[in-house]
Each structure stands twice: as C-alpha cells, then as structure tokens.
Amino acid sequence: MTDLLLRDALLPGRTALTDLLVSGGRVAAEGTGLPSGPQEIDLGGRLVLPAFVDAHCHLDKTLWGGPWVPNTAGPRLQDKIDYTRTRRGEFGVASADRIEALLRHVVSLGTTRVRTHTDVSPEFGLQGFHAVREAAERLAGHVTVEQVAFPQYGMLTNPGTAELMAEALRTGLAQVVGGIDPAGLERDPVRHLDVVFGLAAEHGVPVDLHLHDRGTLGAWEYDLIIERTLATGMRGRVTIGHGYALGDADPARQTEIARGLAEAEISVVTCAAHSDPVLPILTLRDAGANLAAGNDGIRDLWSPYGDGDMLARAHRIAERAELYADAEIELALAAATHGGARALGLPAHGPTVGSVADLVVVEARTQAEAVMSRPARTLVLFEGTVVAQ
C-alpha cells in the first residue's frame, strides 16, 4: 500500500487543522508538519469522519439501476412479504448487476461496510446469495459485504428453509444466521430461537434477528432473546433489527430492556423507516447499549423509497427521535459509524491513530452540521485506499 498524507484535515471535536498520515491501511500518525509523502491530498479544512457502516439492508431485493417498477404491494407487513415473494422472479430479483450498481453508489456516499439480509426460501434456493457475492467480488477493495441467511418468509412455517440456511452457512455464502418475528410470524418463539441459536453454535457465526412484533408481545421477545444470548454464551454476537416494541414500551420498561441489552452486549439497529417507532436513543445510551443504523430496503419490491445514503439516514434518525442538541445529533451519526462497526464485530475505524483508515471527508465544520446539511462527500477511503473522490 502506498502511504497517503492528508493535509489540513479537520477532526471531530477540533477547531485547529491537522495532518493525517495513512500507512498500511491504518491512520499511522497525526499532527502538523508531517513530512511529505509520495501521495498527498489537501483537504482544505474539511471534516474527516469515520466511513459509514450500513448494518441492516437488503441488497438482494434492490431494483437500483434498472427500469422503474411501480410498487403495488398492500399496506400490511404480510402484504409486502407476499408481494416480494411472488413477483421477484418477474422483475429479475436478485440481480448482480443491480446490486453492483447500488454498492458503487453507496461507496461514493461514504459507506465501506455492509451487512445485508439475503432471502432464503425453497422456491428460489440460494440464488440471492450468489448474486450478492458476485457483486461484492466485483467491488473487492472498495467495500465489504456480510450476508445474513434471512428467513423472510418464515422458517418453521416455511419447511425446507432451515436446511437451506444451514447450507448457506456451511458453504460460506452466509456469515450470519438470521431470524424473524419468532412469535408473530413463526408462532413458536422458543423453537424458532432453538433453531437460530443452534445454527449459530454449529457454524460459529453471529445472530441477527428481525423483530417487527409490537407492544407487549415484542417486548417479551426481547426478554427471550436476552435470556437466550446469556444462556448460550453469545454475548457481543447478537443483533436485533427494527425492534419496534422497544419504542412502544413505557419509560420504565424501556430502561429495563435497554439494561438487559447492555448486559448481554446485544446490538440494536434502527432504520427510522416509514412511521414505525424509533428506538429510545437516549435511554439506550444511558444504559450503555449499542445502537447501529441501516438503510433497510433501498428502492426495491418492498418499497420505492431509500437512496442508500447513511448520512441521510442519520439525519432521519435524529429528526424522528427529536434530537436537537449537537451532542444528541452526534448519537445518530455514531449509530451510522462506530455503532455499526461494533454490531458487525469490526475493528475500530476512523481518523484516530491506530484505527483502520476507512474515512469519509465532507464539507462541514462539525458532526452535527454534517448530519443536518448532508453535504457532498469529497473523498472516501477504504483501508487507506481512495475509492471515491
């Protein structure tokens, strides 16, 4: 790797400019007057942030880069599930070309790490995994993509799915085992968690569960997942996506669940999509629980919305959570950077000495300003290599 010197960088929380030396894929030194190197870029006082981590999306479903497809799915969750399942073949889902186009787009916006939930079902097998892997291989050295074996259409209620999930994990197509609504969709939460955590133990992989169930039912499922995580020694290797019930709960119950999440080192991911409840960000912070962020669907059969921009996602999270003070707005940005890295088990990245040099440079003076203005990304680095400029 060629050393890269970034001149006149503005680091988060600073007012004075500094230089950053990037070497061996990491930030090697920071300070003024660093000696010139073989490659230099003058940042002109722009803000340097950790590159973004999309901890929850669905690359396999995307229609990005293809012809416009009007969305005719019904309003209910089950309507969207059924529509996606029955019409994916008609619209060529999953497409490696469309996935590649979307990945190139998100890299240009500063995202360098992605966890995607890839559908598994007997009628189309593991086709989505092959499409995502092909697209990711085309962009090796620009972005990493981790696939979750995701039973979108049920696992217990869709016979043959668990066996396909095991095959995806065994062959290395998937690196994470997924789950979905153990009670609301599967109607047997204990058995569902038995299978999911059993696959995790057998293949030595993390767990990432969709939890759409609302109210007291969803809150109870949080309890079950926390208990199962502690009982199986999976601390730090479990993630809950969406988790709307935590937003529904009263403050005392939110605090109780948040403390349980922190104890079990379970990450939660919010997408702040649609009108669904936003997770209680300040309560999670106070409890020490990890919050990550993701785009969820990006212009796909599920929804025509989504642009893949994690800085815009941080803005939406901050606005919907009614975060106004700079320190609070920064929590939304942290979810889109460090929180996502922690959820994915990645090493520290960003503009600090010793960290992996996954960086994004923006036209802003502070982190809060960056979230509010969503400025142009003028430079993106992946492990010290310029991947967008």
Side-chain angles (χ1 to χ4, degrees):
M1 296 181 183
T2 302
D3 288 357
L4 172 63
L5 186 62
L6 302 177
R7 293 283 192 196
D8 288 338
L10 179 62
L11 302 188
R14 308 271 192 94
T15 54
L17 303 184
T18 190
D19 300 336
L20 294 176
L21 175 64
V22 176
S23 180
R26 294 181 177 269
V27 178
E30 181 254 307
T32 57
L34 294 178
S36 297
Q39 184 180 5
E40 293 188 18
I41 299 176
D42 186 350
L43 300 186
R46 296 178 182 88
L47 182 65
V48 184
L49 299 172
F52 306 122
V53 178
D54 189 333
H56 184 115
C57 66
H58 297 269
L59 294 178
D60 64 312
K61 290 185 175 75
T62 192
L63 300 167
W64 193 271
W68 180 255
V69 176
N71 189 287
T72 57
R76 301 176 306 147
L77 174 65
Q78 192 60 50
D79 294 334
K80 298 178 188 303
I81 290 174
D82 293 342
Y83 179 80
T84 303
R85 184 178 192 177
T86 57
R87 303 200 67 181
R88 57 187 291 140
E90 176 184 347
F91 295 110
V93 173
S95 162
D97 290 341
R98 292 174 186 167
I99 297 165
E100 179 191 0
L102 178 54
L103 285 173
R104 289 190 182 278
H105 175 67
V106 302
V107 168
S108 75
L109 295 173
T111 294
T112 57
R113 312 285 174 172
V114 175
R115 174 179 282 182
T116 186
H117 296 257
T118 305
D119 290 358
V120 178
S121 192
E123 63 262 44
F124 50 80
L126 303 179
Q127 183 261 347
F129 290 91
H130 292 286
V132 171
R133 184 167 70 174
E134 180 181 343
E137 287 175 346
R138 295 175 189 174
L139 287 174
H142 290 70
V143 62
T144 61
V145 179
E146 183 179 69
Q147 296 197 68
V148 182
F150 176 48
Q152 173 73 85
Y153 314 108
M155 183 176 62
L156 306 180
T157 56
N158 190 23
T161 299
E163 290 77 10
L164 281 170
M165 292 169 65
E167 181 181 346
L169 294 165
R170 183 173 60 252
T171 58
L173 286 169
Q175 297 78 44
V176 184
V177 59
I180 182 169
D181 297 335
L185 178 65
E186 293 280 72
R187 306 291 182 180
D188 192 341
V190 173
R191 186 174 164 220
H192 182 89
L193 294 179
D194 283 346
V195 175
V196 169
F197 279 82
L199 286 170
E202 180 180 354
H203 298 280
V205 297
V207 167
D208 195 326
L209 295 139
H210 278 57
L211 187 56
H212 305 99
D213 290 337
R214 301 281 298 272
T216 56
L217 177 64
W220 175 64
E221 289 173 273
Y222 267 105
D223 294 336
L224 292 182
I225 295 167
I226 291 167
E227 291 171 2
R228 186 64 65 101
T229 300
L230 293 172
T232 55
M234 286 286 286
R235 270 192 177 93
R237 291 174 60 78
V238 175
T239 300
I240 297 173
H242 301 309
Y244 302 138
L246 186 54
D248 288 335
D250 63 62
R253 187 73 168 105
Q254 287 180 338
T255 297
E256 179 186 12
I257 293 173
R259 288 174 176 168
L261 293 170
E263 179 188 1
E265 299 176 29
I266 295 173
S267 294
V268 286
V269 184
T270 186
C271 303
H274 317 301
S275 60
D276 299 314
V278 178
L279 299 180
I281 293 175
L282 300 182
T283 301
L284 290 165
R285 177 202 61 187
D286 292 344
N290 185 52
L291 175 69
N295 275 295
D296 203 15
I298 304 172
R299 197 175 300 172
D300 56 22
L301 291 177
W302 189 281
S303 165
Y305 289 94
D307 60 6
D309 187 350
M310 286 300 295
L311 194 53
R313 187 60 49 177
H315 179 281
R316 181 170 177 81
I317 292 168
E319 183 175 23
R320 292 208 57 218
E322 299 183 343
L323 306 178
Y324 294 103
D326 280 19
E328 294 178 350
I329 294 168
E330 289 171 8
L331 295 174
L333 183 60
T337 55
H338 298 305
R342 182 176 170 188
L344 271 59
L346 299 171
H349 73 289
T352 55
V353 174
S355 294
V356 174
D358 279 22
L359 308 173
V360 57
V361 179
V362 299
E363 294 271 7
R365 297 294 298 176
T366 71
Q367 295 176 84
E369 181 189 359
V371 173
M372 291 298 104
S373 61
R374 290 156 286 169
R377 311 321 120 84
T378 61
L379 183 70
V380 181
L381 269 61
F382 172 83
E383 295 182 356
T385 298
V386 175
V387 293
Q389 189 173 13

